[in-house]
């Protein structure tokens, strides 16, 4: 079966997940993003690539970074940007997701950027829009967060130059993390030497080994000699039942402290998709320390989202 994100020419027409996206397309996105990065230093930070196009941001779940950087990215591409306020939209009166999409499509939407608490919502939308309308997943349930993974790949390449030979550790609540899943697919496609997942057994999902990931329950062993550390937030909103004794106990074993950071390579970079819980998964000295690239990730997110929007909008039908 053809990857539903690709058109019949093999071009990216929607971005729903990093799973199954060929390496050359991932690299094309990163290379395109690189051309947009210098734009931020110019007086006029705009290019006309999406002039006349309408981008609709539909965030059914809270967001600071993703929503704002998508808006900045679309604005810098000269698109007209519309942020639907879900709380005061007709979704709050019971309108179905597909009816909302049909109505916005009737307003000549070209790109939908969708964050939804239900895994699969962006895919459902992609199956129902016209062929010249594009859907970008801005995070769905615990399924996928592909633009976060792409900006993470951009950040890793920026600081480490090459994906080969890298050891990357993803630490924490992997079970509920769409970021972890999207990063694992991207990292393995891009050919890093080793992907590790570190966390308590209750937060490590089954099937990681089959995805090419080595699992660790001990931070000292898991962080040993890694080049990149991706910390994850404890996703309390997605936890059913008590999976952890307490956040204090969690921090003691899995919180990234300066001391635990010393298990990694001396030039290891520390990443976090945000929002961060200081004192739960990461201590402030590390989050704000010299090895942290957490705010670089946010900045690169603009160029990466510009790249994704310009590439899908340029895909022929
Ligand atoms: N990383 C991320 O998705 O952050 P937001 O929830 O603030 O968008």
């Amino acid at each position: 079966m053809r990857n539903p994100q690709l058109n019949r020419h093999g071009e990216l027409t929607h971005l729903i997940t990093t799973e199954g996206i060929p390496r050359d397309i991932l690299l094309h996105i990163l290379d395109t993003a690189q051309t947009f990065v210098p734009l931020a230093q110019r007086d006029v930070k705009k290019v006309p690539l999406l002039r006349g196009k309408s981008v609709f941001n539909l965030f059914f779940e809270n967001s600071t970074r993703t929503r704002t950087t998508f808006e900045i990215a679309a604005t810098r591409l000269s698109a007209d940007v519309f942020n639907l306020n879900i709380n005061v939209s007709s979704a709050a009166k019971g309108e179905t997701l597909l009816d909302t999409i049909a109505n916005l499509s009737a307003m000549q939407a070209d790109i939908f950027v969708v964050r939804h608490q239900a895994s699969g919502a962006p895919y459902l939308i992609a199956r129902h829009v016209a062929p010249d309308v594009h859907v970008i997943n801005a995070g769905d349930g615990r399924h996928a967060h592909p633009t976060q993974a792409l900006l993470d790949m951009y950040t890793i390449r920026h600081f480490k130059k090459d994906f080969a030979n890298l050891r990357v550790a993803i630490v924490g609540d992997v079970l509920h993390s769409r970021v972890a899943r999207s990063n694992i697919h991207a990292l393995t496609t891009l050919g890093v030497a080793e992907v590790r997942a570190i966390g308590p057994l209750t937060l490590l999902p089954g099937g990681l080994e089959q995805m090419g990931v080595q699992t660790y329950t001990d931070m000292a062993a898991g962080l040993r000699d890694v080049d990149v550390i991706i910390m994850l937030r404890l996703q309390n909103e997605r936890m059913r039942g008590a999976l952890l004794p307490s956040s204090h106990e969690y921090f003691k074993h899995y919180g990234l402290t300066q001391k635990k950071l010393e298990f990694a390579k001396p030039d290891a970079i520390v990443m976090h998709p945000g929002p961060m819980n200081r004192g739960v998964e990461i201590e402030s000295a590390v989050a704000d320390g010299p090895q942290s690239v957490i705010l670089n990730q946010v900045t690169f997110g603009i160029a990466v989202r510009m790249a994704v929007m310009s590439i899908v909008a340029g895909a022929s039908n």
Side-chain angles (χ1 to χ4, degrees):
M1 197 183 80
R2 182 157 60 80
N3 185 325
Q5 305 174 98
L6 306 180
N7 65 16
R8 62 183 189 282
H9 307 294
E11 298 164 332
L12 193 73
T13 187
H14 305 294
L15 178 63
I16 309 296
T17 166
T18 50
E19 184 175 6
I21 296 190
R23 185 171 184 273
D24 60 333
I25 293 184
L26 294 182
L27 290 174
H28 177 51
I29 294 169
L30 302 187
D31 291 342
T32 306
Q34 200 164 349
T35 67
F36 290 132
V37 168
L39 206 62
Q41 308 310 323
R42 292 202 210 143
D43 287 343
V44 179
K45 297 177 175 52
K46 283 196 174 197
V47 289
L49 290 170
L50 291 191
R51 187 152 60 202
K53 302 282 185 192
S54 297
V55 175
F56 280 72
N57 277 332
L58 280 73
F59 279 67
F60 292 84
E61 232 189 36
N62 296 345
S63 169
T64 296
R65 284 146 286 267
T66 312
R67 181 183 171 132
T68 312
T69 54
F70 260 115
E71 184 172 351
I72 296 169
T75 306
R76 289 193 181 167
L77 290 167
S78 307
D80 297 315
V81 188
F82 304 93
N83 293 308
L84 193 68
N85 186 342
I86 300 298
N87 293 330
V88 295
S89 76
S90 290
K93 298 183 200 165
E95 184 173 72
T96 68
L97 177 62
L98 288 181
D99 277 335
T100 300
I101 295 299
N103 280 275
L104 298 177
S105 295
M107 302 173 202
Q108 282 79 45
D110 295 292
I111 296 178
F112 288 114
V113 176
V114 182
R115 169 168 289 192
H116 205 285
Q117 61 279 7
S119 298
Y123 178 57
L124 178 74
I125 296 169
R127 281 175 43 211
H128 285 84
V129 293
D132 58 344
V133 176
H134 311 279
V135 178
I136 300 173
N137 182 2
D140 63 329
R142 58 162 92 172
H143 170 236
H145 194 348
T147 57
Q148 177 69 46
L150 287 163
L151 74 87
D152 289 348
M153 296 309 109
Y154 189 96
T155 306
I156 292 172
R157 191 172 77 163
H158 177 84
F159 286 101
K160 295 292 168 191
K161 308 303 171 208
D162 192 8
F163 291 105
N165 304 319
L166 288 184
R167 287 195 193 100
V168 181
I170 302 174
V171 184
D173 184 3
V174 180
L175 178 66
H176 300 99
S177 176
R178 54 195 179 205
V179 175
R181 237 170 297 286
S182 290
N183 271 332
I184 290 167
H185 289 304
L187 287 164
T188 50
T189 302
L190 291 169
V192 299
E194 218 178 304
V195 184
R196 302 177 182 180
I198 311 172
L201 273 179
T202 49
L203 296 181
L204 294 177
L208 284 172
E209 284 84 2
Q210 287 86 327
M211 293 170 82
V213 178
Q214 298 180 21
T215 58
Y216 294 82
T217 54
D218 178 64
M219 282 286 264
L223 289 181
R224 177 113 26 231
D225 294 331
V226 300
D227 303 277
V228 177
I229 304 171
I230 301 174
M231 297 305 298
L232 300 173
R233 181 174 65 87
L234 280 182
Q235 322 242 323
N236 290 309
E237 72 275 21
R238 297 203 179 95
M239 287 189 197
R240 288 201 196 95
L243 296 174
L244 296 167
S246 70
S247 58
H248 176 75
E249 194 67 12
Y250 179 82
F251 181 70
K252 192 169 124 194
H253 293 286
Y254 296 102
L256 188 62
T257 57
Q258 204 61 51
K259 202 163 165 44
K260 291 195 196 104
L261 183 54
E262 285 169 16
F263 294 121
K265 285 191 181 162
D267 64 347
I269 56 171
V270 176
M271 300 169 61
H272 193 306
M276 270 188 297
N277 289 312
R278 293 169 185 263
V280 178
E281 69 261 4
I282 192 164
E283 75 174 3
S284 286
V286 177
D288 306 326
Q291 287 169 263
S292 170
V293 297
I294 293 168
L295 293 179
N296 302 83
Q297 289 173 262
V298 177
T299 305
F300 290 142
I302 298 171
V304 168
R305 289 175 172 126
M306 288 176 76
V308 170
M309 282 192 278
S310 62
I311 287 170
V312 296
S316 54
N317 304 314

